[in-house]
């Protein structure tokens, strides 16, 4: 009898799987198709070109190019019954600069809001004894400062102007809004505590410099 040679495992089992492209990598490569050629394309042309030139699977082409249009990185217009996409090299650079400038302006605005909240916290401490509640609030401010530093660091990673930049900015605004509302809660709680335990009247509260229109932030 003859023994059969031992079978070798299929080659594809020993080879590591190729890692797929992330959405941001697909966006960058898709944008290169436009800027490298300065040509106009319809969707069917992009679905044929993208896999060959940039390794983007045809099934994801529509999603990727739509996200670029939504972010203003690629132009889109109707020509008869089909849509046309294009982006010149000079346009791509300027659009990235414009979006980055908007993100930086929004971050500066949030910085100013945070500084205002910090100033309000300082004013509330004047003439008041230290309490456990105030100690907890100061710890919360420290946590917010750490979160702000983390968000600033994250903002630098979003300079490619992808959809993640919008999400980060929305989260940043939400964090600042929540911080403002927490301090509003603290003010109301302090008013109730001083009124109930020390008999301080509403007229006396007016001398603390707390604006009468103080209310919760909503958006």
């Amino acid at each position: 009898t003859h023994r059969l040679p031992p079978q070798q495992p299929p080659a594809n089992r020993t080879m590591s799987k190729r890692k797929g492209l992330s959405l941001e990598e697909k966006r960058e490569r898709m944008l290169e198709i436009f800027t490298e050629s300065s040509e106009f394309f319809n969707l069917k042309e992009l679905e044929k070109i993208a896999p060959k030139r940039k390794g983007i699977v045809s099934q994801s082409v529509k999603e990727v190019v739509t996200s670029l249009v939504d972010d203003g990185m690629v132009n889109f217009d109707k020509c008869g019954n089909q849509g046309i996409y294009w982006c010149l090299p000079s346009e791509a650079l300027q659009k990235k600069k414009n979006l980055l400038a908007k993100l930086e302006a929004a971050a500066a605005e949030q910085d100013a809001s945070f500084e205002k909240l910090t100033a309000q916290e300082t004013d509330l401490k004047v003439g008041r004894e230290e309490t456990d509640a105030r100690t907890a609030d100061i710890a919360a401010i420290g946590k917010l400062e750490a979160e702000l530093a983390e968000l600033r660091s994250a903002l630098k990673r979003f300079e490619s102007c992808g959809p993640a930049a919008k999400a980060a900015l929305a989260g940043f605004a939400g964090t600042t809004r929540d911080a403002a509302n927490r301090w509003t809660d603290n003010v109301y709680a302090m008013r109730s505590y001083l009124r109930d335990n020390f008999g301080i009247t509403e007229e006396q509260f007016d001398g603390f410099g707390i604006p009468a229109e103080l209310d919760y932030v909503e958006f």
Side-chain angles (χ1 to χ4, degrees):
T1 58
H2 298 282
R3 292 185 179 180
L4 296 176
Q7 294 183 351
Q8 297 295 327
N12 59 355
R13 292 186 181 179
T14 59
M15 295 177 61
S16 60
K17 294 183 178 180
R18 181 179 179 183
K19 184 179 180 182
L21 298 175
S22 67
L23 176 59
E24 198 56 43
E25 289 172 329
K26 292 177 183 178
R27 283 164 51 87
E28 288 293 334
R29 295 190 181 193
M30 182 66 70
L31 192 59
E32 289 173 358
I33 292 177
F34 293 102
T35 57
E36 289 173 356
S37 64
S38 300
E39 296 179 6
F40 295 77
F41 303 94
N42 59 40
L43 185 58
K44 289 185 178 180
E45 291 172 335
L46 290 173
E47 289 175 341
K48 292 180 180 180
I49 294 172
K52 297 178 181 179
R53 294 188 186 177
K54 299 299 179 179
I56 304 171
V57 295
S58 59
Q59 292 86 343
S60 65
V61 167
K62 184 176 181 179
E63 175 191 3
V64 174
V65 75
T66 299
S67 73
L68 289 171
V69 172
D70 291 342
D71 285 348
M73 302 301 296
V74 170
N75 301 307
F76 173 78
D77 201 357
K78 280 283 189 178
C79 183
N81 296 325
Q82 63 181 353
I84 300 298
Y85 303 88
W86 77 96
C87 179
L88 302 179
S90 57
E91 286 183 309
L93 178 60
Q94 188 58 46
K95 287 179 179 180
K96 281 191 174 183
K97 289 181 178 179
N98 292 342
L99 186 54
L100 179 59
K102 289 181 181 179
L103 290 173
E104 290 175 341
E109 183 178 347
Q110 298 302 328
D111 284 347
S113 177
F114 181 81
E115 290 176 0
K116 182 179 179 180
L117 291 173
T118 303
Q120 290 179 355
E121 185 268 343
T122 301
D123 292 340
L124 290 173
K125 290 175 59 177
V126 175
R128 300 181 183 185
E129 296 180 359
E130 195 68 29
T131 65
D132 292 341
R134 183 176 292 111
T135 301
D137 290 340
I138 293 174
I141 285 292
K143 183 178 179 180
L144 285 173
E145 289 176 341
E147 292 175 356
L148 179 61
E150 182 178 352
L151 288 170
R152 285 175 177 168
S153 176
L155 180 62
K156 294 181 180 179
R157 299 196 297 269
F158 298 140
E159 292 182 353
S160 60
C161 307
K166 291 183 178 180
L169 187 58
F172 189 25
T175 298
T176 306
R177 176 201 60 206
D178 293 342
N181 288 336
R182 280 198 296 272
W183 279 111
T184 302
D185 283 336
N186 292 339
V187 172
Y188 287 145
M190 186 62 67
R191 287 170 68 114
S192 298
Y193 178 84
L194 294 178
R195 182 186 62 240
D196 297 341
N197 293 275
F198 299 99
I200 295 180
T201 65
E202 294 294 328
E203 290 75 14
Q204 290 174 310
F205 276 122
D206 293 339
F208 291 161
I210 302 174
E213 64 274 12
L214 178 67
D215 202 352
Y216 293 97
V217 178
E218 296 182 357
F219 57 82

